[in-house]
Amino acid sequence: MEQREIAKLEAYLQKTFRSPSIRVKPRPKKDDSAEVYVGDEFIGILFRDDEDDELSYQFQMAILEYDLA
């Protein structure tokens, strides 16, 4: 993902979740996805999907049982 695209996604997530601490960072050696953080904590991966001439994004986040305690 290009830096401009990452900045737009970061702004969208910050606005949607009302959290300015959300950060989107490029992944090393991957150009179809980015890492999502809240502060310094990694929370998930944002995937770029441009199949069928339609661009969309998918956010994938795992929630571990011990995180719920």
Side-chain angles (χ1 to χ4, degrees):
M1 290 187 196
E2 296 179 8
Q3 188 57 40
R4 183 172 182 233
E5 183 178 25
I6 288 172
K8 289 168 109 178
L9 290 164
E10 182 176 277
Y12 172 80
L13 291 173
Q14 289 174 344
K15 179 181 174 187
T16 300
F17 295 110
R18 297 184 180 123
S19 178
S21 64
I22 293 176
R23 297 287 175 247
V24 179
K25 300 179 181 181
R27 291 178 74 191
K29 302 179 185 176
K30 299 280 185 177
D31 61 355
D32 65 342
S33 56
E35 298 176 344
V36 180
Y37 292 82
V38 174
D40 292 332
E41 184 177 351
F42 171 79
I43 63 165
I45 301 287
L46 191 57
F47 294 95
R48 183 180 202 269
D49 182 4
D50 58 357
E51 288 185 25
D52 302 327
D53 296 325
E54 193 171 314
L55 180 60
S56 65
Y57 301 90
Q58 179 184 6
F59 177 60
Q60 186 174 29
M61 177 179 165
I63 302 170
L64 303 176
E65 184 179 8
Y66 71 82
D67 289 333
L68 301 175

Short mmCIF file of all heavy atoms in Angstrom, two decimals:
data_model
loop_
_atom_site.label_atom_id
_atom_site.label_comp_id
_atom_site.label_asym_id
_atom_site.label_seq_id
_atom_site.Cartn_x
_atom_site.Cartn_y
_atom_site.Cartn_z
N MET A 1 0.84 -1.18 0.00
CA MET A 1 0.00 0.00 0.00
C MET A 1 0.88 1.24 0.00
O MET A 1 1.92 1.26 0.65
CB MET A 1 -0.89 0.03 1.24
CG MET A 1 -1.97 -1.00 1.28
SD MET A 1 -3.04 -0.70 2.69
CE MET A 1 -3.86 -2.25 2.77
N GLU A 2 0.44 2.24 -0.69
CA GLU A 2 1.17 3.50 -0.74
C GLU A 2 0.89 4.32 0.51
O GLU A 2 -0.15 4.16 1.15
CB GLU A 2 0.77 4.30 -1.97
CG GLU A 2 1.12 3.61 -3.27
CD GLU A 2 0.67 4.40 -4.47
OE1 GLU A 2 0.22 5.56 -4.32
OE2 GLU A 2 0.75 3.85 -5.58
N GLN A 3 1.80 5.22 0.84
CA GLN A 3 1.67 6.03 2.06
C GLN A 3 0.39 6.87 2.06
O GLN A 3 -0.26 7.01 3.08
CB GLN A 3 2.90 6.93 2.23
CG GLN A 3 2.93 7.65 3.56
CD GLN A 3 2.88 6.71 4.75
OE1 GLN A 3 3.49 5.66 4.78
NE2 GLN A 3 2.10 7.08 5.76
N ARG A 4 0.02 7.38 0.90
CA ARG A 4 -1.21 8.20 0.82
C ARG A 4 -2.45 7.34 1.14
O ARG A 4 -3.36 7.79 1.84
CB ARG A 4 -1.33 8.79 -0.58
CG ARG A 4 -2.51 9.69 -0.76
CD ARG A 4 -2.44 10.38 -2.12
NE ARG A 4 -3.56 11.28 -2.26
CZ ARG A 4 -4.39 11.28 -3.28
NH1 ARG A 4 -4.20 10.45 -4.28
NH2 ARG A 4 -5.39 12.11 -3.33
N GLU A 5 -2.47 6.12 0.64
CA GLU A 5 -3.57 5.19 0.91
C GLU A 5 -3.62 4.84 2.40
O GLU A 5 -4.69 4.82 3.01
CB GLU A 5 -3.35 3.95 0.06
CG GLU A 5 -4.40 2.91 0.15
CD GLU A 5 -4.12 1.74 -0.78
OE1 GLU A 5 -2.94 1.49 -1.14
OE2 GLU A 5 -5.08 1.08 -1.15
N ILE A 6 -2.46 4.59 2.99
CA ILE A 6 -2.37 4.27 4.42
C ILE A 6 -2.88 5.43 5.26
O ILE A 6 -3.62 5.24 6.23
CB ILE A 6 -0.92 3.89 4.79
CG1 ILE A 6 -0.60 2.50 4.21
CG2 ILE A 6 -0.70 3.91 6.29
CD1 ILE A 6 0.84 2.08 4.34
N ALA A 7 -2.53 6.65 4.89
CA ALA A 7 -2.99 7.83 5.64
C ALA A 7 -4.51 7.96 5.58
O ALA A 7 -5.14 8.30 6.59
CB ALA A 7 -2.32 9.08 5.08
N LYS A 8 -5.11 7.69 4.44
CA LYS A 8 -6.57 7.76 4.31
C LYS A 8 -7.25 6.69 5.18
O LYS A 8 -8.25 6.96 5.84
CB LYS A 8 -6.99 7.58 2.85
CG LYS A 8 -6.66 8.75 1.97
CD LYS A 8 -6.83 8.36 0.51
CE LYS A 8 -8.03 9.02 -0.10
NZ LYS A 8 -8.18 8.69 -1.54
N LEU A 9 -6.68 5.49 5.17
CA LEU A 9 -7.24 4.41 5.98
C LEU A 9 -7.11 4.71 7.47
O LEU A 9 -8.03 4.48 8.25
CB LEU A 9 -6.55 3.09 5.64
CG LEU A 9 -6.88 2.54 4.26
CD1 LEU A 9 -5.88 1.48 3.87
CD2 LEU A 9 -8.30 2.00 4.24
N GLU A 10 -5.96 5.26 7.86
CA GLU A 10 -5.75 5.61 9.26
C GLU A 10 -6.76 6.67 9.70
O GLU A 10 -7.39 6.54 10.76
CB GLU A 10 -4.32 6.13 9.45
CG GLU A 10 -4.00 6.48 10.89
CD GLU A 10 -2.56 6.88 11.03
OE1 GLU A 10 -1.70 5.99 11.15
OE2 GLU A 10 -2.29 8.10 11.02
N ALA A 11 -6.97 7.69 8.89
CA ALA A 11 -7.94 8.74 9.22
C ALA A 11 -9.36 8.16 9.32
O ALA A 11 -10.12 8.52 10.22
CB ALA A 11 -7.89 9.84 8.17
N TYR A 12 -9.69 7.26 8.43
CA TYR A 12 -11.02 6.63 8.46
C TYR A 12 -11.21 5.84 9.75
O TYR A 12 -12.25 5.96 10.41
CB TYR A 12 -11.20 5.71 7.25
CG TYR A 12 -12.46 4.90 7.33
CD1 TYR A 12 -13.68 5.46 6.99
CD2 TYR A 12 -12.43 3.58 7.77
CE1 TYR A 12 -14.86 4.72 7.10
CE2 TYR A 12 -13.59 2.83 7.87
CZ TYR A 12 -14.79 3.41 7.54
OH TYR A 12 -15.95 2.67 7.65
N LEU A 13 -10.23 5.01 10.11
CA LEU A 13 -10.34 4.20 11.33
C LEU A 13 -10.39 5.08 12.58
O LEU A 13 -11.17 4.82 13.50
CB LEU A 13 -9.18 3.21 11.43
CG LEU A 13 -9.18 2.08 10.40
CD1 LEU A 13 -7.90 1.28 10.49
CD2 LEU A 13 -10.39 1.19 10.57
N GLN A 14 -9.58 6.13 12.63
CA GLN A 14 -9.59 7.04 13.77
C GLN A 14 -10.96 7.70 13.93
O GLN A 14 -11.48 7.82 15.04
CB GLN A 14 -8.51 8.11 13.62
CG GLN A 14 -7.11 7.58 13.79
CD GLN A 14 -6.05 8.61 13.48
OE1 GLN A 14 -6.32 9.64 12.87
NE2 GLN A 14 -4.82 8.33 13.89
N LYS A 15 -11.54 8.12 12.83
CA LYS A 15 -12.86 8.78 12.86
C LYS A 15 -13.95 7.77 13.23
O LYS A 15 -14.79 8.05 14.09
CB LYS A 15 -13.15 9.39 11.50
CG LYS A 15 -14.49 10.06 11.41
CD LYS A 15 -14.73 10.62 10.02
CE LYS A 15 -16.14 11.16 9.89
NZ LYS A 15 -16.45 11.56 8.52
N THR A 16 -13.93 6.60 12.60
CA THR A 16 -14.96 5.60 12.82
C THR A 16 -14.98 5.10 14.26
O THR A 16 -16.04 4.96 14.87
CB THR A 16 -14.75 4.40 11.87
OG1 THR A 16 -14.84 4.89 10.52
CG2 THR A 16 -15.79 3.32 12.08
N PHE A 17 -13.81 4.85 14.82
CA PHE A 17 -13.71 4.32 16.18
C PHE A 17 -13.46 5.41 17.23
O PHE A 17 -13.24 5.11 18.39
CB PHE A 17 -12.64 3.23 16.25
CG PHE A 17 -12.99 2.02 15.44
CD1 PHE A 17 -12.30 1.72 14.29
CD2 PHE A 17 -14.04 1.20 15.82
CE1 PHE A 17 -12.63 0.61 13.52
CE2 PHE A 17 -14.37 0.08 15.06
CZ PHE A 17 -13.67 -0.21 13.90
N ARG A 18 -13.45 6.66 16.78
CA ARG A 18 -13.25 7.82 17.67
C ARG A 18 -12.02 7.64 18.55
O ARG A 18 -12.07 7.80 19.77
CB ARG A 18 -14.49 8.06 18.52
CG ARG A 18 -15.70 8.41 17.71
CD ARG A 18 -16.89 8.73 18.57
NE ARG A 18 -18.03 9.05 17.75
CZ ARG A 18 -19.19 8.42 17.82
NH1 ARG A 18 -19.36 7.45 18.69
NH2 ARG A 18 -20.17 8.76 17.04
N SER A 19 -10.91 7.27 17.89
CA SER A 19 -9.68 7.02 18.61
C SER A 19 -8.48 7.53 17.82
O SER A 19 -8.03 6.87 16.87
CB SER A 19 -9.52 5.52 18.88
OG SER A 19 -8.30 5.27 19.54
N PRO A 20 -7.93 8.68 18.22
CA PRO A 20 -6.75 9.20 17.52
C PRO A 20 -5.49 8.38 17.75
O PRO A 20 -4.49 8.60 17.09
CB PRO A 20 -6.60 10.61 18.09
CG PRO A 20 -7.30 10.57 19.41
CD PRO A 20 -8.39 9.55 19.28
N SER A 21 -5.54 7.40 18.65
CA SER A 21 -4.36 6.58 18.92
C SER A 21 -4.21 5.42 17.93
O SER A 21 -3.22 4.68 17.98
CB SER A 21 -4.38 6.05 20.35
OG SER A 21 -5.47 5.17 20.53
N ILE A 22 -5.17 5.25 17.01
CA ILE A 22 -5.06 4.20 16.00
C ILE A 22 -4.02 4.61 14.97
O ILE A 22 -4.04 5.73 14.46
CB ILE A 22 -6.42 3.92 15.32
CG1 ILE A 22 -7.39 3.32 16.33
CG2 ILE A 22 -6.24 3.01 14.11
CD1 ILE A 22 -8.79 3.11 15.79
N ARG A 23 -3.13 3.69 14.64
CA ARG A 23 -2.09 3.92 13.64
C ARG A 23 -2.09 2.78 12.63
O ARG A 23 -2.28 1.62 13.00
CB ARG A 23 -0.69 3.98 14.29
CG ARG A 23 -0.51 5.12 15.26
CD ARG A 23 -0.39 6.45 14.52
NE ARG A 23 -0.32 7.55 15.45
CZ ARG A 23 -1.26 8.47 15.58
NH1 ARG A 23 -2.32 8.45 14.83
NH2 ARG A 23 -1.12 9.44 16.45
N VAL A 24 -1.89 3.12 11.37
CA VAL A 24 -1.76 2.13 10.31
C VAL A 24 -0.35 2.26 9.75
O VAL A 24 0.08 3.35 9.37
CB VAL A 24 -2.82 2.35 9.20
CG1 VAL A 24 -2.65 1.32 8.10
CG2 VAL A 24 -4.23 2.28 9.79
N LYS A 25 0.37 1.13 9.72
CA LYS A 25 1.76 1.13 9.28
C LYS A 25 1.96 0.11 8.17
O LYS A 25 1.37 -0.97 8.20
CB LYS A 25 2.68 0.77 10.45
CG LYS A 25 2.60 1.74 11.62
CD LYS A 25 3.51 1.30 12.74
CE LYS A 25 3.41 2.25 13.92
NZ LYS A 25 4.29 1.85 15.01
N PRO A 26 2.81 0.42 7.20
CA PRO A 26 3.09 -0.56 6.14
C PRO A 26 3.75 -1.81 6.70
O PRO A 26 4.45 -1.75 7.71
CB PRO A 26 4.04 0.18 5.20
CG PRO A 26 4.52 1.37 5.93
CD PRO A 26 3.58 1.64 7.06
N ARG A 27 3.50 -2.93 6.05
CA ARG A 27 4.12 -4.19 6.45
C ARG A 27 5.41 -4.38 5.66
O ARG A 27 5.45 -4.14 4.46
CB ARG A 27 3.20 -5.37 6.17
CG ARG A 27 1.98 -5.38 7.05
CD ARG A 27 1.08 -6.53 6.72
NE ARG A 27 1.66 -7.79 7.20
CZ ARG A 27 1.21 -8.98 6.86
NH1 ARG A 27 0.21 -9.10 6.04
NH2 ARG A 27 1.78 -10.07 7.34
N PRO A 28 6.44 -4.86 6.33
CA PRO A 28 7.68 -5.15 5.61
C PRO A 28 7.47 -6.26 4.58
O PRO A 28 6.83 -7.26 4.88
CB PRO A 28 8.64 -5.61 6.70
CG PRO A 28 7.99 -5.31 8.00
CD PRO A 28 6.52 -5.13 7.74
N LYS A 29 7.94 -6.05 3.38
CA LYS A 29 7.91 -7.04 2.31
C LYS A 29 6.51 -7.41 1.82
O LYS A 29 6.32 -8.40 1.14
CB LYS A 29 8.66 -8.31 2.72
CG LYS A 29 10.10 -8.06 3.10
CD LYS A 29 10.78 -9.33 3.52
CE LYS A 29 12.19 -9.03 4.00
NZ LYS A 29 12.85 -10.21 4.52
N LYS A 30 5.49 -6.65 2.19
CA LYS A 30 4.12 -6.89 1.73
C LYS A 30 3.56 -5.58 1.19
O LYS A 30 3.68 -4.54 1.84
CB LYS A 30 3.22 -7.38 2.86
CG LYS A 30 3.64 -8.66 3.51
CD LYS A 30 3.23 -9.83 2.67
CE LYS A 30 3.56 -11.12 3.39
NZ LYS A 30 3.11 -12.28 2.66
N ASP A 31 2.92 -5.63 0.02
CA ASP A 31 2.36 -4.39 -0.52
C ASP A 31 0.84 -4.45 -0.63
O ASP A 31 0.22 -3.52 -1.12
CB ASP A 31 2.98 -4.06 -1.87
CG ASP A 31 2.73 -5.13 -2.91
OD1 ASP A 31 2.16 -6.19 -2.57
OD2 ASP A 31 3.10 -4.90 -4.08
N ASP A 32 0.23 -5.55 -0.15
CA ASP A 32 -1.21 -5.68 -0.24
C ASP A 32 -1.90 -5.57 1.12
O ASP A 32 -3.09 -5.82 1.25
CB ASP A 32 -1.59 -7.02 -0.87
CG ASP A 32 -1.17 -8.21 -0.02
OD1 ASP A 32 -0.32 -8.04 0.87
OD2 ASP A 32 -1.71 -9.31 -0.27
N SER A 33 -1.14 -5.18 2.15
CA SER A 33 -1.71 -5.11 3.49
C SER A 33 -0.90 -4.16 4.37
O SER A 33 0.20 -3.74 4.01
CB SER A 33 -1.75 -6.50 4.12
OG SER A 33 -0.47 -7.08 4.13
N ALA A 34 -1.49 -3.83 5.53
CA ALA A 34 -0.84 -2.94 6.49
C ALA A 34 -1.18 -3.41 7.90
O ALA A 34 -2.17 -4.11 8.11
CB ALA A 34 -1.30 -1.50 6.28
N GLU A 35 -0.36 -3.02 8.86
CA GLU A 35 -0.58 -3.38 10.25
C GLU A 35 -1.35 -2.26 10.94
O GLU A 35 -1.13 -1.08 10.67
CB GLU A 35 0.75 -3.59 10.96
CG GLU A 35 1.56 -4.72 10.37
CD GLU A 35 2.93 -4.88 11.00
OE1 GLU A 35 3.41 -3.95 11.69
OE2 GLU A 35 3.54 -5.95 10.80
N VAL A 36 -2.23 -2.64 11.88
CA VAL A 36 -3.02 -1.67 12.62
C VAL A 36 -2.63 -1.75 14.10
O VAL A 36 -2.55 -2.84 14.67
CB VAL A 36 -4.54 -1.92 12.45
CG1 VAL A 36 -5.34 -0.88 13.22
CG2 VAL A 36 -4.91 -1.91 10.97
N TYR A 37 -2.40 -0.60 14.69
CA TYR A 37 -2.00 -0.49 16.10
C TYR A 37 -2.93 0.47 16.83
O TYR A 37 -3.44 1.41 16.25
CB TYR A 37 -0.58 0.07 16.21
CG TYR A 37 0.49 -0.85 15.70
CD1 TYR A 37 0.79 -0.93 14.34
CD2 TYR A 37 1.24 -1.63 16.58
CE1 TYR A 37 1.78 -1.77 13.86
CE2 TYR A 37 2.23 -2.48 16.11
CZ TYR A 37 2.49 -2.54 14.76
OH TYR A 37 3.48 -3.37 14.29
N VAL A 38 -3.11 0.21 18.12
CA VAL A 38 -3.69 1.19 19.04
C VAL A 38 -2.56 1.53 19.99
O VAL A 38 -2.12 0.68 20.77
CB VAL A 38 -4.92 0.65 19.79
CG1 VAL A 38 -5.39 1.66 20.82
CG2 VAL A 38 -6.04 0.32 18.82
N GLY A 39 -2.07 2.75 19.89
CA GLY A 39 -0.86 3.10 20.62
C GLY A 39 0.27 2.24 20.09
O GLY A 39 0.51 2.16 18.89
N ASP A 40 0.96 1.53 21.00
CA ASP A 40 2.06 0.64 20.61
C ASP A 40 1.62 -0.81 20.45
O ASP A 40 2.42 -1.67 20.12
CB ASP A 40 3.18 0.71 21.65
CG ASP A 40 3.88 2.05 21.66
OD1 ASP A 40 3.90 2.71 20.61
OD2 ASP A 40 4.40 2.44 22.73
N GLU A 41 0.33 -1.09 20.70
CA GLU A 41 -0.15 -2.47 20.67
C GLU A 41 -0.69 -2.85 19.29
O GLU A 41 -1.62 -2.22 18.78
CB GLU A 41 -1.24 -2.68 21.71
CG GLU A 41 -1.71 -4.10 21.79
CD GLU A 41 -2.74 -4.34 22.88
OE1 GLU A 41 -2.98 -3.43 23.69
OE2 GLU A 41 -3.30 -5.44 22.91
N PHE A 42 -0.11 -3.89 18.71
CA PHE A 42 -0.59 -4.42 17.44
C PHE A 42 -1.95 -5.05 17.65
O PHE A 42 -2.14 -5.85 18.57
CB PHE A 42 0.41 -5.48 16.94
CG PHE A 42 -0.08 -6.24 15.74
CD1 PHE A 42 -0.01 -5.69 14.48
CD2 PHE A 42 -0.62 -7.50 15.90
CE1 PHE A 42 -0.47 -6.40 13.36
CE2 PHE A 42 -1.07 -8.22 14.80
CZ PHE A 42 -1.00 -7.66 13.54
N ILE A 43 -2.94 -4.69 16.79
CA ILE A 43 -4.28 -5.27 16.95
C ILE A 43 -4.77 -6.03 15.73
O ILE A 43 -5.74 -6.78 15.82
CB ILE A 43 -5.32 -4.22 17.36
CG1 ILE A 43 -5.49 -3.15 16.28
CG2 ILE A 43 -4.99 -3.62 18.71
CD1 ILE A 43 -6.73 -2.30 16.44
N GLY A 44 -4.16 -5.84 14.56
CA GLY A 44 -4.66 -6.57 13.41
C GLY A 44 -4.00 -6.18 12.10
O GLY A 44 -3.10 -5.35 12.05
N ILE A 45 -4.53 -6.77 11.03
CA ILE A 45 -4.03 -6.55 9.68
C ILE A 45 -5.16 -6.00 8.82
O ILE A 45 -6.30 -6.46 8.90
CB ILE A 45 -3.51 -7.86 9.05
CG1 ILE A 45 -2.40 -8.48 9.88
CG2 ILE A 45 -3.06 -7.64 7.61
CD1 ILE A 45 -1.08 -7.75 9.81
N LEU A 46 -4.82 -5.04 8.00
CA LEU A 46 -5.76 -4.46 7.04
C LEU A 46 -5.33 -4.90 5.65
O LEU A 46 -4.21 -4.62 5.22
CB LEU A 46 -5.70 -2.93 7.17
CG LEU A 46 -6.74 -2.09 6.49
CD1 LEU A 46 -8.14 -2.47 6.93
CD2 LEU A 46 -6.49 -0.64 6.79
N PHE A 47 -6.20 -5.65 4.96
CA PHE A 47 -5.89 -6.19 3.65
C PHE A 47 -6.56 -5.36 2.55
O PHE A 47 -7.70 -4.94 2.70
CB PHE A 47 -6.37 -7.64 3.53
CG PHE A 47 -5.63 -8.59 4.42
CD1 PHE A 47 -6.14 -8.93 5.66
CD2 PHE A 47 -4.43 -9.14 4.03
CE1 PHE A 47 -5.46 -9.80 6.49
CE2 PHE A 47 -3.74 -10.02 4.84
CZ PHE A 47 -4.26 -10.35 6.08
N ARG A 48 -5.84 -5.17 1.45
CA ARG A 48 -6.35 -4.47 0.28
C ARG A 48 -6.86 -5.51 -0.70
O ARG A 48 -6.16 -6.47 -1.02
CB ARG A 48 -5.23 -3.66 -0.36
CG ARG A 48 -5.62 -2.84 -1.54
CD ARG A 48 -4.37 -2.10 -2.05
NE ARG A 48 -4.72 -0.95 -2.82
CZ ARG A 48 -4.89 -0.95 -4.14
NH1 ARG A 48 -4.72 -2.07 -4.81
NH2 ARG A 48 -5.21 0.14 -4.77
N ASP A 49 -8.09 -5.32 -1.21
CA ASP A 49 -8.68 -6.26 -2.16
C ASP A 49 -9.16 -5.47 -3.37
O ASP A 49 -10.07 -4.66 -3.27
CB ASP A 49 -9.85 -6.98 -1.50
CG ASP A 49 -10.51 -8.00 -2.40
OD1 ASP A 49 -10.03 -8.22 -3.54
OD2 ASP A 49 -11.52 -8.60 -1.98
N ASP A 50 -8.51 -5.70 -4.51
CA ASP A 50 -8.90 -4.97 -5.71
C ASP A 50 -9.32 -5.92 -6.83
O ASP A 50 -9.10 -5.67 -8.01
CB ASP A 50 -7.81 -4.02 -6.18
CG ASP A 50 -6.49 -4.71 -6.47
OD1 ASP A 50 -6.39 -5.93 -6.28
OD2 ASP A 50 -5.57 -4.02 -6.91
N GLU A 51 -9.98 -7.00 -6.46
CA GLU A 51 -10.50 -7.95 -7.45
C GLU A 51 -11.74 -7.38 -8.12
O GLU A 51 -12.46 -6.56 -7.55
CB GLU A 51 -10.87 -9.26 -6.76
CG GLU A 51 -9.65 -10.06 -6.33
CD GLU A 51 -10.04 -11.41 -5.77
OE1 GLU A 51 -11.11 -11.94 -6.11
OE2 GLU A 51 -9.26 -11.93 -4.97
N ASP A 52 -12.00 -7.84 -9.33
CA ASP A 52 -13.19 -7.45 -10.09
C ASP A 52 -13.29 -5.95 -10.29
O ASP A 52 -14.39 -5.39 -10.32
CB ASP A 52 -14.46 -7.98 -9.42
CG ASP A 52 -14.45 -9.49 -9.25
OD1 ASP A 52 -13.89 -10.17 -10.13
OD2 ASP A 52 -14.99 -9.97 -8.24
N ASP A 53 -12.15 -5.27 -10.42
CA ASP A 53 -12.12 -3.83 -10.66
C ASP A 53 -12.85 -3.02 -9.59
O ASP A 53 -13.34 -1.92 -9.86
CB ASP A 53 -12.68 -3.49 -12.04
CG ASP A 53 -11.84 -4.08 -13.15
OD1 ASP A 53 -10.60 -4.15 -12.98
OD2 ASP A 53 -12.40 -4.47 -14.17
N GLU A 54 -12.95 -3.56 -8.40
CA GLU A 54 -13.60 -2.85 -7.30
C GLU A 54 -12.67 -2.90 -6.08
O GLU A 54 -12.33 -3.98 -5.61
CB GLU A 54 -14.94 -3.51 -6.97
CG GLU A 54 -15.80 -2.66 -6.07
CD GLU A 54 -17.20 -3.25 -5.95
OE1 GLU A 54 -17.79 -3.64 -6.97
OE2 GLU A 54 -17.67 -3.31 -4.80
N LEU A 55 -12.28 -1.76 -5.58
CA LEU A 55 -11.35 -1.69 -4.46
C LEU A 55 -12.10 -1.72 -3.14
O LEU A 55 -13.06 -0.98 -2.94
CB LEU A 55 -10.50 -0.41 -4.56
CG LEU A 55 -9.48 -0.19 -3.47
CD1 LEU A 55 -8.46 -1.33 -3.43
CD2 LEU A 55 -8.78 1.14 -3.68
N SER A 56 -11.64 -2.57 -2.23
CA SER A 56 -12.19 -2.62 -0.88
C SER A 56 -11.09 -3.04 0.08
O SER A 56 -9.99 -3.43 -0.33
CB SER A 56 -13.37 -3.59 -0.80
OG SER A 56 -12.94 -4.90 -1.05
N TYR A 57 -11.38 -2.95 1.37
CA TYR A 57 -10.40 -3.30 2.40
C TYR A 57 -11.07 -4.21 3.41
O TYR A 57 -12.26 -4.09 3.69
CB TYR A 57 -9.88 -2.04 3.11
CG TYR A 57 -9.22 -1.09 2.15
CD1 TYR A 57 -9.95 -0.10 1.52
CD2 TYR A 57 -7.86 -1.20 1.86
CE1 TYR A 57 -9.35 0.78 0.62
CE2 TYR A 57 -7.26 -0.34 0.96
CZ TYR A 57 -8.01 0.65 0.35
OH TYR A 57 -7.41 1.49 -0.54
N GLN A 58 -10.28 -5.12 3.99
CA GLN A 58 -10.78 -6.01 5.01
C GLN A 58 -9.86 -5.89 6.23
O GLN A 58 -8.64 -6.03 6.11
CB GLN A 58 -10.79 -7.45 4.51
CG GLN A 58 -11.27 -8.42 5.55
CD GLN A 58 -11.19 -9.86 5.08
OE1 GLN A 58 -10.68 -10.16 4.02
NE2 GLN A 58 -11.69 -10.75 5.90
N PHE A 59 -10.46 -5.67 7.39
CA PHE A 59 -9.71 -5.58 8.64
C PHE A 59 -9.88 -6.89 9.38
O PHE A 59 -11.00 -7.35 9.62
CB PHE A 59 -10.20 -4.42 9.48
CG PHE A 59 -9.52 -4.31 10.82
CD1 PHE A 59 -8.15 -4.14 10.90
CD2 PHE A 59 -10.25 -4.38 11.98
CE1 PHE A 59 -7.51 -4.04 12.12
CE2 PHE A 59 -9.62 -4.28 13.21
CZ PHE A 59 -8.25 -4.11 13.28
N GLN A 60 -8.76 -7.52 9.74
CA GLN A 60 -8.79 -8.79 10.45
C GLN A 60 -8.12 -8.63 11.81
O GLN A 60 -6.95 -8.21 11.89
CB GLN A 60 -8.08 -9.87 9.64
CG GLN A 60 -8.19 -11.23 10.24
CD GLN A 60 -7.59 -12.29 9.33
OE1 GLN A 60 -6.67 -12.02 8.56
NE2 GLN A 60 -8.10 -13.49 9.41
N MET A 61 -8.85 -8.97 12.86
CA MET A 61 -8.36 -8.81 14.22
C MET A 61 -8.68 -10.07 15.03
O MET A 61 -9.83 -10.52 15.05
CB MET A 61 -9.03 -7.61 14.88
CG MET A 61 -8.67 -7.37 16.29
SD MET A 61 -9.55 -5.89 16.87
CE MET A 61 -9.33 -6.07 18.62
N ALA A 62 -7.68 -10.64 15.65
CA ALA A 62 -7.88 -11.80 16.51
C ALA A 62 -8.03 -11.32 17.95
O ALA A 62 -7.30 -10.43 18.40
CB ALA A 62 -6.71 -12.76 16.41
N ILE A 63 -8.99 -11.89 18.67
CA ILE A 63 -9.19 -11.57 20.09
C ILE A 63 -8.93 -12.85 20.87
O ILE A 63 -9.64 -13.84 20.72
CB ILE A 63 -10.60 -11.04 20.36
CG1 ILE A 63 -10.85 -9.78 19.51
CG2 ILE A 63 -10.78 -10.75 21.85
CD1 ILE A 63 -12.30 -9.32 19.54
N LEU A 64 -7.88 -12.82 21.67
CA LEU A 64 -7.52 -13.99 22.45
C LEU A 64 -8.31 -14.02 23.75
O LEU A 64 -8.69 -12.98 24.29
CB LEU A 64 -6.02 -13.98 22.76
CG LEU A 64 -5.12 -13.92 21.53
CD1 LEU A 64 -3.67 -13.80 21.94
CD2 LEU A 64 -5.34 -15.13 20.64
N GLU A 65 -8.58 -15.22 24.26
CA GLU A 65 -9.40 -15.37 25.47
C GLU A 65 -8.81 -14.58 26.64
O GLU A 65 -9.55 -13.93 27.38
CB GLU A 65 -9.53 -16.85 25.83
CG GLU A 65 -10.44 -17.07 27.02
CD GLU A 65 -10.60 -18.53 27.37
OE1 GLU A 65 -9.91 -19.38 26.79
OE2 GLU A 65 -11.43 -18.81 28.23
N TYR A 66 -7.49 -14.62 26.81
CA TYR A 66 -6.90 -13.92 27.96
C TYR A 66 -7.02 -12.40 27.84
O TYR A 66 -6.93 -11.68 28.83
CB TYR A 66 -5.46 -14.36 28.22
CG TYR A 66 -4.42 -13.90 27.23
CD1 TYR A 66 -3.86 -12.62 27.29
CD2 TYR A 66 -3.98 -14.74 26.21
CE1 TYR A 66 -2.91 -12.20 26.38
CE2 TYR A 66 -3.03 -14.33 25.30
CZ TYR A 66 -2.51 -13.06 25.40
OH TYR A 66 -1.57 -12.64 24.49
N ASP A 67 -7.27 -11.90 26.63
CA ASP A 67 -7.50 -10.45 26.46
C ASP A 67 -8.85 -10.03 27.04
O ASP A 67 -9.06 -8.87 27.34
CB ASP A 67 -7.44 -10.05 24.99
CG ASP A 67 -6.05 -10.12 24.41
OD1 ASP A 67 -5.08 -9.95 25.19
OD2 ASP A 67 -5.92 -10.34 23.20
N LEU A 68 -9.76 -10.97 27.17
CA LEU A 68 -11.11 -10.68 27.67
C LEU A 68 -11.19 -10.62 29.18
O LEU A 68 -12.19 -10.17 29.74
CB LEU A 68 -12.10 -11.72 27.15
CG LEU A 68 -12.21 -11.82 25.63
CD1 LEU A 68 -13.13 -12.97 25.23
CD2 LEU A 68 -12.70 -10.52 25.03
N ALA A 69 -10.16 -11.10 29.85
CA ALA A 69 -10.18 -11.14 31.32
C ALA A 69 -9.89 -9.79 31.93
O ALA A 69 -9.34 -8.92 31.40
CB ALA A 69 -9.16 -12.16 31.83
#
